[in-house]
């Protein structure tokens, strides 16, 4: 559901500003505490609780109130949008959990609490949104979405448990497409809407840090290889509905990508402020030369791909 990606963006912006700008501007303030700082921990917990509660109440009043209520029910939307929405759920859950864990790390919380309460933030919040879906006659809770939320959280937690670091990071990139103009009310009528709504222009990546898998090598610590997934030709969620909304009748197809990337968190700096900024923006895949595989049988080369 596109709404959930919007919710993630709200959370992303809030957490980014909370980490990077609402704190004291002194450099020492950005440095994680060596031991539990109760004041910091309380501020993190209260801020997250207030934001989550306010967002859920706002969604219920401003979005779901427009549609009739129903008994709680599930829907099967796993075939819609060529699973691009599910990739978005993995991405959102991972990074909301990562931000939650990093904020608890900043407060000096134990590793156990970082993973248990911080990393679970994405799954808990997005599942709460799923419950709102379940009581709306227009939508319905999606088991596929819940599984994707769990996968995003598991990707973060498992790497911390196995490697004590994040070697594989989900990332996002976007470019405008011709499809939005065919159905702007759904895919977006201007750029900022299209970023959130037009799945045709979204690409989700798994960015792999090479040096992390070859510690003794001379590979730059910041150099990544990224594997991407995208899809095009989608005017509607389901393929059988496309002729109703599009005179051009586009054919859907999947895209797979191989590209270079940069792990911003591996850039060496002594500034805790810059480390925080790098962490926030490490959600975005940088433009780079890219190889694209279309429909499993056609290869394209991009000097720079967004």
């Amino acid at each position: 559901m596109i709404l959930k990606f919007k919710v993630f963006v709200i959370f992303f912006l809030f957490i980014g500003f909370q980490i990077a700008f609402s704190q004291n501007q002194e450099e020492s303030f950005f440095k994680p505490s060596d031991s539990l700082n109760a004041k910091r921990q309380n501020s993190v917990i209260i801020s997250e609780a207030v934001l989550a509660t306010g967002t859920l109440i706002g969604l219920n009043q401003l979005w779901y109130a427009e549609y009739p209520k129903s008994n709680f029910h599930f829907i099967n939307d796993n075939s819609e949008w060529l699973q691009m929405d599910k990739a978005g759920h993995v991405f959102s859950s991972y990074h909301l959990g990562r931000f939650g864990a990093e904020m608890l790390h900043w407060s000096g919380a134990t590793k156990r609490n970082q993973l248990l309460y911080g990393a679970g933030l994405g799954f808990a919040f997005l599942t709460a949104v799923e419950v709102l879906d379940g009581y709306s006659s227009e939508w319905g809770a999606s088991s596929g979405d819940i599984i994707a939320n769990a996968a995003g959280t598991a990707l973060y937690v498992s790497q911390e448990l196995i490697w004590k670091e994040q070697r594989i990071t989900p990332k996002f990139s976007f470019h405008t497409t011709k499809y939005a103009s065919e159905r702007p009310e759904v895919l977006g009528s201007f750029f900022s809407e299209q970023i959130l709504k037009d799945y045709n222009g979204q690409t989700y990546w798994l960015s792999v840090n090479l040096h992390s898998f070859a510690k003794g090598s001379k590979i730059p610590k910041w150099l990544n290889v990224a594997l991407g997934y995208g899809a095009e030709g989608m005017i509607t969620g389901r393929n059988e509905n496309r002729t109703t909304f599009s005179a051009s009748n586009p054919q859907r197809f999947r895209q797979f990508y191989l590209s270079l990337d940069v792990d911003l968190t591996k850039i060496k700096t002594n500034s805790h402020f810059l480390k925080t900024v790098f962490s926030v923006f490490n959600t975005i895949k940088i433009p780079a030369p890219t190889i694209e595989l279309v429909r499993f049988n056609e290869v394209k080369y991009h000097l720079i791909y967004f």
Side-chain angles (χ1 to χ4, degrees):
M1 182 178 173
I2 294 172
L3 168 65
K4 292 163 191 165
F5 190 78
K6 292 182 180 179
V7 170
F8 167 74
V9 171
I10 294 172
F11 245 102
F12 169 79
L13 292 175
F14 174 84
I15 292 174
F17 282 115
Q18 179 186 354
I19 294 176
F21 299 107
S22 68
Q23 301 169 353
N24 192 307
Q25 294 300 306
E26 296 178 5
E27 171 66 19
S28 61
F29 196 82
F30 293 93
K31 182 179 180 180
S33 178
D34 294 329
S35 58
L36 180 62
N37 184 316
K39 185 176 180 180
R40 286 188 177 188
Q41 180 175 263
N42 290 339
S43 69
V44 168
I45 294 172
I46 292 172
S47 297
E48 290 178 353
V50 169
L51 177 64
T53 303
T55 302
L56 291 173
I57 292 174
L59 283 173
N60 188 56
Q61 296 299 317
L62 299 176
W63 182 275
Y64 294 101
E66 298 180 6
Y67 304 100
K69 298 292 185 181
S70 69
N71 293 328
F72 184 83
H73 63 288
F74 282 90
I75 60 171
N76 185 352
D77 62 351
N78 294 332
S79 63
E80 295 186 2
W81 304 110
L82 293 179
Q83 295 78 50
M84 286 295 292
D85 59 324
K86 301 300 180 281
H89 274 268
V90 173
F91 170 86
S92 300
S93 181
Y94 174 93
H95 283 293
L96 284 175
R98 180 174 70 86
F99 290 145
E102 288 181 356
M103 285 191 292
L104 284 179
H105 171 65
W106 169 76
S107 74
T110 64
K111 191 68 174 180
R112 175 181 178 275
N113 287 343
Q114 291 173 36
L115 296 181
L116 186 61
Y117 301 110
L121 173 66
F123 178 78
F125 178 77
L126 292 175
T127 300
V129 177
E130 209 65 50
V131 172
L132 295 179
D133 276 352
Y135 282 105
S136 172
S137 60
E138 181 73 12
W139 309 112
S142 166
S143 57
D145 289 353
I146 295 174
I147 292 172
N149 295 340
T153 300
L155 179 60
Y156 179 84
V157 173
S158 61
Q159 291 187 82
E160 288 296 319
L161 293 176
I162 296 171
W163 296 318
K164 314 281 187 212
E165 63 179 348
Q166 295 299 299
R167 299 183 179 185
I168 304 172
T169 305
K171 293 194 177 186
F172 173 81
S173 66
F174 177 80
H175 60 271
T176 58
T177 73
K178 61 183 180 182
Y179 303 103
S181 61
E182 297 196 41
R183 203 181 178 200
E185 71 277 10
V186 172
L187 302 180
S189 56
F190 46 87
F191 183 75
S192 59
E193 281 190 347
Q194 291 167 14
I195 292 177
L196 303 177
K197 294 182 175 183
D198 187 3
Y199 286 122
N200 300 281
Q202 297 177 7
T203 306
Y204 290 97
W205 304 83
L206 288 178
S207 187
V208 182
N209 184 256
L210 298 177
H211 187 271
S212 295
F213 289 97
K215 296 288 189 179
S217 70
K218 295 183 179 180
I219 299 173
K221 293 183 178 180
W222 46 263
L223 181 62
N224 282 22
V225 168
L227 305 174
Y229 173 66
E232 286 194 27
M234 300 177 293
I235 304 297
T236 63
R238 296 182 182 274
N239 189 47
E240 58 267 24
N241 297 332
R242 69 184 189 276
T243 55
T244 304
F245 300 98
S246 174
S248 63
N249 191 22
Q251 297 298 311
R252 299 171 176 231
F253 57 91
R254 304 176 190 274
Q255 300 151 302
F256 300 91
Y257 301 92
L258 177 64
S259 184
L260 298 175
D261 190 32
V262 171
D263 187 338
L264 297 177
T265 66
K266 297 295 194 297
I267 296 176
K268 188 174 181 179
T269 176
N270 293 324
S271 170
H272 291 286
F273 172 78
L274 286 179
K275 289 179 180 179
T276 300
V277 172
F278 289 157
S279 176
V280 170
F281 286 98
N282 205 43
T283 55
I284 301 171
K285 164 74 170 63
I286 67 164
T290 300
I291 300 173
E292 175 185 353
L293 178 63
V294 183
R295 299 187 180 92
F296 296 102
N297 60 9
E298 179 184 353
V299 178
K300 293 183 179 180
Y301 299 92
H302 304 272
L303 181 60
I304 294 292
Y305 178 83
F306 291 87

